[in-house]
Amino acid sequence: MIGKDSRRDDAADVEQAKGFDDYELRLGDVMRGERATMGKSLLDVQRELKIKAAYIAAIENADPSAFDTPGFIAGYVRSYARYLNMNPEETFAAFCKESGFATAHGMSAQASSRKASAGEPATTPLGKDIFADAPTPFIPAGEAMFSQIEPRAIGSIAVVLAMIGGLGYGGWTILQEVQKVQFAPVEQTPVVISDLDPLAGASNAIESGNNVAAIDNPSPEALDRLYRPQALDVPVLVARDAPISTLTPGTIGALIPQEEPAEAMIVADLPPTERSAPPVQVVEPPVPELQLVAVRPAWVRVRAADGSVIYEGVMEPGQNFVVPATEEPATLRVGESGAMYFAVNGVHYGPVGDRGVVTSNVQLTTNSVTAAYTVADLTADDDLAEIVNVAEVVSDE
């Protein structure tokens, strides 16, 4: 009887079935997959890592024989692994395991550059080296010289050249026609109205014989007409204006009196050299002069009505500033009001304010100063009295 746990001793071991992903995964497949994920070609890797595309393909194929210098293989493999975000040490170990490459000492023969002998075909353990041939799949083939030229472009260029030539020829033809000079035929033949001979009458009429007295000399009128120079047009100058020195202000313009006395009539009849100009009549009194007088050091700023600064600075004792007469009154700002006075035609007014006080917006006109301030008391300010006394002494001298 056969039991449940009974089995045949000679039964063969059942072979396990392999799945669709049960295959050997090589290093080159992993690298190509990572490179494809990044969307990079061999030429892109060569441009970014500065490593030949043939070396990159040899790393993916685990072919160390494609390298000219085996000593650089470890650096190339690790750099390419870092570029693909892979572990450099594990990648290099897998490369050595699959290709059988072993790191050689720097002074050994295996680490030196390998040179292929003449006539030796470039082969690899996987067969023929695909990078030894010129038409590699990752290098674009060179384009022909005229491959980028289209027939339609040639036709367009020909049309443009023809248009330029036609315009140039048309312009040249028009220029030639414009510069051409033609003589129009005259319908009526010109007729000589008179024939004047300048030598008429100048010829010698010699009669027959040797009689010298019978020679007829030319007349002086004929010789004068023959040898006289051509007459020139002489410009004629006509004086339109009289000299300024002959003008008398008392006889013309707004200065003519309403009733001219007999003396004015006599002066008008005199020659210009003996005339004397009438006296000038002053119709308006002079504008009173306004000055700023500093008896002690004080900062002063005079500003015009438009805001511009006329004067600004520190006035020393005895220094004066004449306020210019403007259409709009200027304004004054003083840092030390007690040290500043006004002078209107020699009469002092003020001071501007108390000592140690800043005064602003003081209108600088004679009317406003005389109305707002009183005549200065010389006994109240010794500095002012000293300056006034010095000014009087200088004026007396």
Side-chain angles (χ1 to χ4, degrees):
M1 184 175 181
I2 301 174
K4 293 182 180 181
D5 56 348
S6 62
R7 60 179 180 178
R8 296 175 59 182
D9 297 335
D10 56 351
D13 295 336
V14 179
E15 185 178 357
Q16 298 292 334
K18 295 183 179 180
F20 67 93
D21 57 348
D22 190 5
Y23 58 89
E24 184 181 1
L25 189 62
R26 300 179 64 84
L27 177 62
D29 300 333
V30 177
M31 288 186 170
R32 279 188 286 269
E34 294 294 336
R35 180 167 55 82
T37 304
M38 297 173 63
K40 301 292 184 178
S41 64
L42 293 177
L43 292 180
D44 296 335
V45 179
Q46 173 181 331
R47 185 166 46 253
E48 296 178 10
L49 289 183
K50 308 302 180 183
I51 300 176
K52 292 182 180 180
Y55 293 166
I56 300 299
I59 293 173
E60 293 179 353
N61 295 331
D63 182 14
S65 61
F67 294 90
D68 296 335
T69 305
F72 295 156
I73 294 178
Y76 289 159
V77 174
R78 290 189 176 91
S79 298
Y80 188 38
R82 293 190 192 95
Y83 178 79
L84 298 177
N85 296 324
M86 299 173 61
N87 191 341
E89 300 301 331
E90 295 180 358
T91 303
F92 180 67
F95 177 82
C96 295
K97 181 179 179 182
E98 293 183 6
S99 62
F101 174 76
T103 304
H105 190 267
M107 300 301 294
S108 61
Q110 290 80 4
S112 60
S113 299
R114 181 183 59 84
K115 297 182 180 179
S117 59
E120 179 184 357
T123 58
T124 63
L126 300 180
K128 183 180 180 182
D129 187 6
I130 59 174
F131 298 100
D133 298 333
T136 54
F138 54 85
I139 298 178
E143 297 180 354
M145 182 182 300
F146 301 100
S147 61
Q148 297 295 334
I149 300 177
E150 298 182 1
R152 291 179 296 180
I154 297 177
S156 301
I157 294 175
V159 171
V160 172
L161 293 178
M163 185 181 299
I164 295 174
L167 292 176
Y169 179 75
W172 180 78
T173 304
I174 294 175
L175 183 61
Q176 294 296 325
E177 291 294 333
V178 169
Q179 295 181 351
K180 186 180 295 183
V181 179
Q182 296 180 355
F183 294 95
V186 181
E187 298 179 356
Q188 184 180 0
T189 305
V191 179
V192 179
I193 298 177
S194 62
D195 188 6
L196 298 179
D197 186 8
L199 298 179
S203 60
N204 295 331
I206 302 177
E207 297 180 356
S208 60
N210 295 327
N211 190 2
V212 180
I215 297 177
D216 187 8
N217 294 325
S219 62
E221 293 79 5
L223 295 177
D224 182 60
R225 186 173 66 251
L226 177 63
Y227 294 108
R228 68 184 176 183
Q230 186 178 2
L232 300 178
D233 295 335
V234 179
V236 179
L237 302 179
V238 179
R240 296 182 297 176
D241 298 330
I244 298 178
S245 60
T246 60
L247 300 179
T248 304
T251 58
I252 59 174
L255 299 179
I256 299 178
Q258 298 295 333
E259 296 180 0
E260 290 189 3
E263 297 179 358
M265 299 291 292
I266 296 174
V267 171
D269 296 337
L270 293 176
T273 57
E274 299 180 3
R275 297 177 186 176
S276 60
V280 179
Q281 181 180 0
V282 179
V283 296
E284 186 176 356
V287 179
E289 184 182 35
L290 177 61
Q291 296 183 0
L292 299 178
V293 180
V295 297
R296 285 177 295 275
W299 176 83
V300 178
R301 182 173 64 192
V302 179
R303 189 185 296 273
D306 58 354
S308 60
V309 177
I310 299 177
Y311 174 79
E312 182 176 3
V314 177
M315 296 182 62
E316 299 296 335
Q319 185 178 357
N320 299 341
F321 174 73
V322 179
V323 179
T326 57
E327 184 177 358
E328 296 293 334
T331 58
L332 171 66
R333 180 180 176 87
V334 184
E336 175 58 41
S337 302
M340 188 61 57
Y341 289 84
F342 299 104
V344 181
N345 291 335
V347 180
H348 293 77
Y349 292 83
V352 179
D354 298 335
R355 292 190 178 185
V357 178
V358 178
T359 305
S360 304
N361 299 327
V362 179
Q363 291 190 356
L364 297 178
T365 59
T366 56
N367 296 332
S368 61
V369 169
T370 55
Y373 297 95
T374 59
V375 179
D377 187 5
L378 301 181
T379 59
D381 195 337
D382 298 337
D383 296 334
L384 177 61
E386 182 180 357
I387 292 175
V388 172
N389 294 333
V390 171
E392 292 177 355
V393 171
V394 172
S395 61
D396 293 341
E397 293 177 356

